[in-house]
Amino acid sequence: MKIKLQLSKIIENALKNANIEADDVVISDATKPEFGDYQFNGVMKLAKQLKQNPRQIAQTVVEHIDTTGIIAKVEIAGPGFINIWLGDAWLSSEATAILDDERVGVGYVDQAQKVVVDYSGPNMAKQMHVGHLRSSIIGDTLATLLEFLGDEVIRQNHIGDWGTQFGMLIAYLEEQGTDGVTQNLKDLEQFYKDAKVRFDESVEFADKARDYVVKIQQGDKHCLRLWQSFIDASLGHCEEVYDKLGVNLTRDDVRAESFYNSKLPSVIKTLKEKNISTISDGAECVFLEGDETPIIVQKGDGGFLYATTDLAALEFRVQELKADRICYVVDARQAQHFKQVFAIAKMAGMVAENVTLEHIGFGTMMDKSGKPFKTRDGGVVKLIDLLDEAVVRARETIKERKTHSDEALEKVARAIGIGAVKYADLSISRESNYLFSWDKMLSFDGNTSLYMQYAYARIQSIFRKHDGVITGSIVVGDEIEHRLVLMLLKFEDTLIKASIEATPHTITSYLYDLVSLFMKFYEQNPILKEGIEEEVKMSRLQLATLTAKVIKKALDILGIEVVNKI
Ligand code: ARG
């Protein structure tokens, strides 16, 4: 239900009928219940333009507002705000109409776009760590959301699989024996450390490592085979994590840095031809206005850099993948990098005007003491361990409730544990640093996934208790039901906002408001109590049905499972 759009059309019409010229009409949510459901705050601006009294203009607009359909009442407040109340009859019939809709009233975007979502992007030489968790979770939600709204999404996993460190790694892999490659690479971090020790202690090994760097670059078959088996094993680790997390990335979505190798010389050629880059200190550099240091696109020894690869990738995404919008879900600390890459790409004419490039930055994961998240001994936390711990803790949290058999408990613990990690990550505004706390994320209260999953399970238990068919319409009977139905109908506007701003926390905040409201409704308006009129009971049951559907859909988009019992 695009409520805001409908309201702005009504206000536009009112303005037109009152002969008032205005540009965009923006409708806001009312900040307090006494200000109605929505507000139009544009009168003051109009008053300034027309040099007239705002209250006078508001009065004229109000007289022209059509209150026969969606709007029940309008009121002028303060210096010229127009407060808007929606009608109970309209709310009731709209809510009833979407009861059987599997999209719960959410339509498709008017203009579907082709969107590249670049996320996860782990580095193959290292164990995937918590830093990549945020990208995987946020990126996956964004991709699912855009797809749900009708965009064509192309997922791109820009893995780091190229660079001088691979010479050392494959030389060491060869030494260790490639037979048990997966076993040897079980702990990548350790493997890297051991290889480095060998590199430092043996001149012979170091020479070989350097030789292998050159050899992979020249396409030497033996070295490439070693490299490929290394990448396969490393990617295998990542896939284990994706699997546990329920992140929808497959091998088909991998377009690694090495994929762009053959395209790098032509990037440099373009930059040179267009006089965007120049030689400085032997390296090919771009000097951007306002930047203190240049961006190196090719080193003196001919090597290319992270930025060069990203330029090639950008060109590929625009020209081959035909993207209209490209979202880079990458650590906020790379903001400068993306600003520069986007600027150079535009200067070089690699992107058409209508293509939007967005760095979807996110903050760092911190521990309780405010330091970047590490294990107790100071090492990097392995994602897989973190996720396993989440499930163990979730099991502890719900075990004493004794609702489940051991087998069922396992499944529920997984939904709750993994859900907690994901939700905690998605629910803070993404640019902020993120304080990791087990207790907070596994709490039954507050803005947590468990709170939402618990509400969903409670609604299911109401249905089990009712044990009969649920039919009939939703009929808004009081203030709390008015607010609950309005909230349910706001789902589409919420998803649209989240998709434009690429902010999953818009959805979690919505869920929190919705579920809090439902709990209040349930407290005030008991559903199954003796003596309630049948029609009222059915309407309330239907309200519970729709609430459960919206909760499930929202969690679905966030990649979080619901369970029927907790
Ligand atoms: N591998 C990079 C890192 O771990 C992330 C890649 C992000 N994507 C991109 N197109 N640069 O920092």
Side-chain angles (χ1 to χ4, degrees):
M1 194 56 44
K2 294 190 182 85
I3 301 181
K4 284 188 177 166
L5 187 70
Q6 293 195 41
L7 292 177
S8 59
K9 280 195 180 139
I10 293 175
I11 301 291
E12 267 165 29
N13 268 329
L15 287 163
K16 206 159 79 196
N17 293 337
N19 283 321
I20 301 173
E21 289 258 354
D23 27 72
D24 269 3
V25 168
V26 179
I27 301 291
S28 330
D29 293 288
T31 45
K32 284 188 192 158
E34 58 264 38
F35 298 158
D37 299 325
Y38 290 94
Q39 245 182 3
F40 173 56
N41 303 335
V43 171
M44 262 75 74
K45 201 173 135 209
L46 283 172
K48 243 187 224 154
Q49 278 168 13
L50 302 170
K51 300 199 173 53
Q52 279 179 27
N53 177 332
R55 294 229 23 142
Q56 191 59 54
I57 297 182
Q59 189 55 44
T60 316
V61 176
V62 161
E63 277 159 21
H64 287 85
I65 290 178
D66 175 8
T67 52
T68 53
I70 171 169
I71 298 177
K73 187 175 90 172
V74 284
E75 238 174 50
I76 302 169
F81 298 119
I82 297 177
N83 296 343
I84 303 168
W85 279 261
L86 305 194
D88 285 346
W90 184 84
L91 289 172
S92 304
S93 79
E94 292 296 313
T96 304
I98 58 170
L99 270 167
D100 291 324
D101 175 13
E102 59 173 60
R103 296 181 61 84
V104 281
V106 179
Y108 294 95
V109 282
D110 296 331
Q111 287 225 307
Q113 288 188 310
K114 231 181 189 192
V115 188
V116 165
V117 183
D118 174 328
Y119 68 104
S120 197
N123 297 322
M124 295 297 104
K126 295 250 170 78
Q127 198 85 244
M128 203 176 164
H129 58 78
V130 283
H132 293 112
L133 182 73
R134 302 212 64 194
S135 176
S136 305
I137 294 176
I138 297 169
D140 207 49
T141 289
L142 183 59
T144 312
L145 170 64
L146 296 177
E147 237 157 27
F148 181 63
L149 292 177
D151 283 330
E152 185 186 334
V153 173
I154 306 173
R155 294 169 171 77
Q156 294 283 278
N157 193 356
H158 191 83
I159 63 169
D161 67 340
W162 204 250
T164 46
Q165 73 270 44
F166 286 97
M168 175 181 89
L169 292 169
I170 61 171
Y172 190 62
L173 180 66
E174 187 179 41
E175 228 178 53
Q176 297 293 304
T178 46
D179 289 350
V181 43
T182 313
Q183 198 52 37
N184 279 334
L185 293 182
K186 215 170 168 65
D187 189 336
L188 264 173
E189 220 62 46
Q190 194 55 43
F191 186 88
Y192 191 94
K193 276 190 202 139
D194 295 345
K196 184 79 173 59
V197 169
R198 276 292 284 143
F199 187 87
D200 292 338
E201 76 185 8
S202 156
V203 179
E204 212 180 304
F205 179 86
D207 282 343
K208 189 171 187 187
R210 277 187 281 267
D211 180 37
Y212 275 16
V213 174
V214 180
K215 278 193 166 153
I216 6 180
Q217 277 163 358
Q218 290 168 342
D220 173 88
K221 284 230 168 66
H222 172 66
C223 285
L224 274 184
R225 220 177 295 125
L226 281 169
W227 169 77
Q228 191 60 57
S229 60
F230 184 93
I231 301 300
D232 281 344
S234 184
L235 207 48
H237 287 308
C238 299
E239 282 162 349
E240 250 178 77
V241 172
Y242 297 152
D243 214 39
K244 281 219 167 132
L245 260 185
V247 159
N248 295 302
L249 277 172
T250 68
R251 290 260 163 150
D252 290 343
D253 304 315
V254 172
R255 201 161 258 125
E257 286 186 6
S258 63
F259 172 82
Y260 301 103
N261 284 349
S262 63
K263 305 178 196 307
L264 301 175
S266 99
V267 169
I268 303 297
K269 193 165 155 256
T270 309
L271 296 181
K272 275 185 180 159
E273 273 171 12
K274 303 206 168 176
N275 285 325
I276 295 168
S277 66
T278 43
I279 300 271
S280 168
D281 273 341
E284 196 66 35
C285 295
V286 180
F287 291 84
L288 285 181
E289 231 182 86
D291 279 357
E292 276 173 26
T293 45
I295 302 111
I296 304 174
V297 286
Q298 187 170 24
K299 290 187 286 190
D301 65 6
F304 302 101
L305 292 102
Y306 185 50
T308 329
T309 307
D310 256 326
L311 284 168
L314 217 170
E315 192 167 31
F316 178 81
R317 290 164 184 185
V318 173
Q319 268 154 32
E320 304 293 321
L321 302 180
K322 308 259 182 284
D324 303 305
R325 178 183 183 190
I326 310 179
C327 299
Y328 294 81
V329 188
V330 186
D331 197 313
R333 288 170 293 190
Q334 293 190 30
Q336 171 88 341
H337 163 76
F338 284 107
K339 214 176 105 208
Q340 293 170 335
V341 167
F342 297 167
I344 297 172
K346 281 181 187 152
M347 279 159 70
M350 290 173 175
V351 260
E353 284 287 324
N354 57 348
V355 178
T356 42
L357 306 174
E358 296 165 43
H359 172 211
I360 313 297
F362 52 81
T364 311
M365 209 190 252
M366 304 290 201
D367 65 14
K368 268 193 230 130
S369 60
K371 295 202 201 75
F373 201 81
K374 295 260 165 73
T375 52
R376 245 170 253 140
D377 59 13
V380 201
V381 179
K382 272 188 251 155
L383 267 189
I384 209 93
D385 295 345
L386 185 94
L387 297 178
D388 289 341
E389 183 168 352
V391 177
V392 170
R393 284 177 182 261
R395 195 187 302 127
E396 289 306 309
T397 308
I398 52 166
K399 206 167 67 187
E400 65 214 39
R401 305 175 69 85
K402 299 200 168 54
T403 351
H404 298 282
S405 65
D406 285 354
E407 199 192 348
L409 183 68
E410 203 44 49
K411 203 174 157 269
V412 174
R414 216 172 318 125
I416 292 176
I418 301 296
V421 172
K422 286 177 131 178
Y423 195 96
D425 201 315
L426 294 165
S427 59
I428 46 152
S429 94
R430 76 179 146 68
E431 302 271 357
S432 321
N433 286 344
Y434 159 30
L435 211 77
F436 192 93
S437 155
W438 285 119
D439 293 340
K440 220 171 120 197
M441 72 173 72
L442 278 165
S443 162
F444 273 95
D445 275 322
N447 193 9
T448 64
S449 57
L450 188 47
Y451 182 59
M452 313 309 154
Q453 287 166 321
Y454 182 61
Y456 182 87
R458 258 181 92 174
I459 296 176
Q460 302 310 311
S461 94
I462 298 172
F463 297 154
R464 283 193 294 270
K465 252 187 234 138
H466 166 67
D467 193 25
V469 283
I470 301 172
T471 56
S473 332
I474 291 175
V475 182
V476 171
D478 61 11
E479 169 73 18
I480 189 82
E481 291 186 5
H482 175 101
R483 287 173 57 200
L484 179 58
V485 169
L486 177 60
M487 190 59 84
L488 290 163
L489 296 179
K490 278 185 178 179
F491 190 41
E492 180 172 22
D493 275 344
T494 304
L495 294 186
I496 292 173
K497 183 172 165 23
S499 73
I500 293 171
E501 296 172 353
T503 46
H505 78 270
T506 305
I507 306 175
T508 56
S509 302
Y510 168 81
L511 260 177
Y512 186 49
D513 289 344
L514 172 67
V515 169
S516 307
L517 210 51
F518 178 82
M519 293 300 192
K520 219 187 237 171
F521 150 80
Y522 186 54
E523 217 172 86
Q524 286 178 23
N525 297 355
I527 298 181
L528 300 177
K529 219 166 104 180
E530 286 292 307
I532 294 174
E533 239 176 277
E534 189 61 16
E535 233 165 83
V536 174
K537 182 167 134 189
M538 280 301 165
S539 167
R540 290 181 184 170
L541 278 167
Q542 292 285 43
L543 253 174
T545 306
L546 190 56
T547 304
K549 282 189 178 176
V550 172
I551 294 174
K552 184 171 181 329
K553 191 47 104 212
L555 287 177
D556 231 24
I557 292 169
L558 302 175
I560 296 171
E561 285 174 46
V562 291
V563 288
N564 288 331
K565 254 194 230 173
I566 287 184

